[in-house]
Amino acid sequence: MAEYIFPQIIKEDIQKFDEMFEPNILSKTNLLNTISKYVFGNKGKQIRPALTFLSARLIGDVTDSTFSAAYMVELLHNATLIHDDVVDDSETRRNLLSVKAKWKNKVAVLAGDYYLAKGLLFAIEKNEIKALEIMSQGVKKMSEGELMQIEHAKSLENTENTYYEIIKAKTAALFVVSMVTGAYSTRKATEDDIKKIERIAELLGLAFQIRDDVLDFSRASVLGKKTLNDLQEKKQTLPLLYALSKVSFIEREKVLFKLEHHNNKQKKLEELAEFVRFKGGIEYATQKQIDFCNEAKTLCCSFAESEARNALCGLIDFIALEQK
C-alpha cells in the first residue's frame, strides 16, 4: 500500500494538529487512555483531516475553527471505524488487532461512543455550531448507509445505483463533512464554493470506497483486512454487482446462493472471486473509480490556481492511482 505524503502547504497544519490532538483526547478513565494510545498511535494516512486543511486553504486561510473541524473529523472517523469493526466482526484494523478483537464488543462500542460524544461536546465548547450541524448530518447519513447495506445484503435486485446510494451515505458522507467544515471554517466560502467542494468530497468518497472494494480482491493483505473480506462478509460491492449484471437471472441466483452459503470456505470464496474477475468486475470498478476522480479533479480545477489546488489535485491522483 502506497504511503500518502502530506503536501508542503499543510505539513505544518498536520504537525500542529497532531500536537493538539493527543492532550485533548485524554480521559479520567485509564482504560480509555490505553485504547486511545492504541488507536491514535497508529494514525493511518490521515486523509480526512488533510482534506479539511486543503479545503480551507483552497478557499482562504486555516483558522482556529479549521483545527477544531479537523479534530472533530478525526474523532468521528475513528469512532465509526471502531463501530464498523463491531458490525462487521472484523479482527484487524491497520495491520493490528481491532479494538473489538482486543477488548471485545462492549468496550469497543463504548469507546466509539466516547469519541463521538467527545467531538460533539468539543463543538459546543468551541461554539462551532455550523460544524456541529454538518457533523451531525454526517453521522445520520453514515448510520443510514450502514443500515441500508444490511437491509439490501441478500437482495437479488441490488443494482449499481443501489450500491452508489449506500456508499454515498456510509463512506462519502465523512469526506463531505471533512471538506465542507474546512471550507466553512475560513468564513470566506460562497454558496457556490460550498456546492463545488461538497461534490468534490462526494466524488472522492465514492472513489475511495470503490478503491477499497477493488483492493479487497487482491491476493495480498490490504490495510490489515483479510483478502476477500467483503465476500466473506457477504457484501455485494461494485465488482460483484457488475459481474452479476452480465449473467442470467438463474445464474445470478446461483452466485448469490454461493455468496450466502460459503461458510467461510476459502475454495468457495476463491470461486466467487474468479467469477468476478472473469466477468470484468475488477476492470469496470477500477475505471469507475478513475472516472469519479477525474470528475473531482475537473471541479477542483474550476478554483483559481494555487498551491492548495495543486495539492488537492495531487490527493485526488493518489486515490485514483493507488492500486497496490
Side-chain angles (χ1 to χ4, degrees):
M1 178 64 63
E3 181 183 357
Y4 175 62
I5 299 172
F6 295 116
Q8 191 62 41
I9 192 171
I10 61 165
K11 275 187 177 176
E12 287 187 13
D13 298 332
I14 293 291
Q15 184 178 354
K16 183 178 174 183
F17 168 71
D18 286 340
E19 288 170 358
M20 69 159 272
F21 191 88
E22 189 172 344
N24 276 296
I25 200 66
L26 292 177
S27 162
K28 294 177 181 177
T29 305
N30 289 333
L31 178 57
L32 267 171
N33 290 336
T34 300
I35 292 170
S36 295
K37 286 179 184 177
Y38 184 78
V39 170
F40 297 105
N42 187 31
K43 298 184 184 76
K45 293 183 177 68
Q46 292 182 289
I47 283 176
R48 290 153 192 85
L51 285 170
T52 302
F53 290 118
L54 283 173
S55 59
R57 292 205 174 273
L58 188 67
I59 300 298
D61 298 318
V62 165
T63 65
D64 287 344
S65 290
T66 315
F67 283 96
S68 295
Y71 176 75
M72 292 160 60
V73 162
E74 190 70 347
L75 284 172
L76 174 56
H77 176 48
N78 282 278
T80 57
L81 291 182
I82 292 168
H83 283 163
D84 285 352
D85 288 339
V86 174
V87 171
D88 296 335
D89 199 25
S90 298
E91 294 294 314
T92 56
R93 171 67 62 183
R94 296 169 182 162
N95 292 315
L96 295 171
L97 285 174
S98 63
V99 173
K100 169 256 174 197
K102 194 170 177 66
W103 284 281
K104 307 307 176 189
N105 285 347
K106 187 182 292 186
V107 171
V109 170
L110 292 170
D113 289 348
Y114 171 78
Y115 298 133
L116 179 57
K118 187 88 174 169
L120 297 174
L121 287 169
F122 184 83
I124 294 168
E125 178 189 332
K126 298 294 183 180
N127 199 33
E128 298 290 353
I129 304 305
K130 186 63 180 178
L132 178 59
E133 178 191 340
I134 295 166
M135 184 173 167
S136 299
Q137 286 289 347
V139 172
K140 174 177 167 285
K141 286 182 182 177
M142 284 185 279
S143 300
E144 287 172 343
E146 289 290 348
L147 288 167
M148 205 185 310
Q149 182 167 272
I150 293 168
E151 181 183 14
H152 287 271
K154 298 179 183 180
S155 175
L156 291 170
E157 305 301 324
N158 285 336
T159 65
E160 190 171 331
N161 286 336
T162 307
Y163 169 81
Y164 293 144
E165 189 180 353
I166 289 169
I167 68 172
K168 270 183 189 178
K170 70 169 242 175
T171 302
L174 186 52
F175 279 72
V176 171
V177 169
S178 303
M179 293 193 72
V180 172
T181 53
Y184 268 117
S185 72
T186 66
R187 307 294 191 263
K188 294 179 181 178
T190 66
E191 188 176 332
D192 186 54
D193 290 336
I194 295 298
K195 283 181 180 177
K196 286 194 287 187
I197 283 174
E198 185 172 355
R199 180 58 179 162
I200 291 169
E202 183 176 81
L203 289 164
L204 280 181
L206 291 170
F208 193 87
Q209 184 60 59
I210 293 170
R211 180 217 64 156
D212 199 45
D213 293 343
V214 168
L215 287 172
D216 194 60
F217 283 86
S218 169
R219 295 186 185 279
S221 179
V222 175
L223 286 177
K225 293 171 65 177
K226 283 192 290 186
T227 194
L228 304 182
N229 197 55
D230 289 335
L231 291 178
Q232 191 174 39
E233 293 172 6
K234 305 173 184 178
K235 291 178 180 176
Q236 296 183 37
T237 59
L238 184 57
L240 175 61
L241 285 168
Y242 177 80
L244 288 170
S245 74
K246 296 299 169 184
V247 299
S248 67
F249 183 81
I250 298 298
E251 189 172 352
R252 189 157 71 245
E253 278 188 313
K254 289 178 181 177
V255 172
L256 289 175
F257 181 86
K258 186 180 287 187
L259 180 69
E260 183 62 26
H261 299 92
H262 57 64
N263 296 324
N264 291 333
K265 290 183 179 177
Q266 192 63 29
K267 184 180 177 182
K268 288 186 177 181
L269 292 171
E270 283 293 345
E271 286 173 359
L272 286 165
E274 278 306 311
F275 164 75
V276 170
R277 294 185 188 108
F278 181 72
K279 292 297 180 181
I282 305 300
E283 290 84 356
Y284 179 81
T286 299
Q287 188 56 53
K288 278 293 180 182
Q289 171 198 341
I290 293 169
D291 290 345
F292 284 137
C293 283
N294 285 340
E295 187 181 340
K297 204 167 178 179
T298 299
L299 267 176
C300 186
C301 289
S302 68
F303 287 92
E305 185 175 359
S306 66
E307 189 179 352
R309 191 189 82 172
N310 294 339
L312 182 56
C313 285
L315 177 50
I316 294 170
D317 285 338
F318 173 81
I319 293 173
L321 300 175
E322 188 187 13
Q323 289 296 332
K324 295 180 182 179

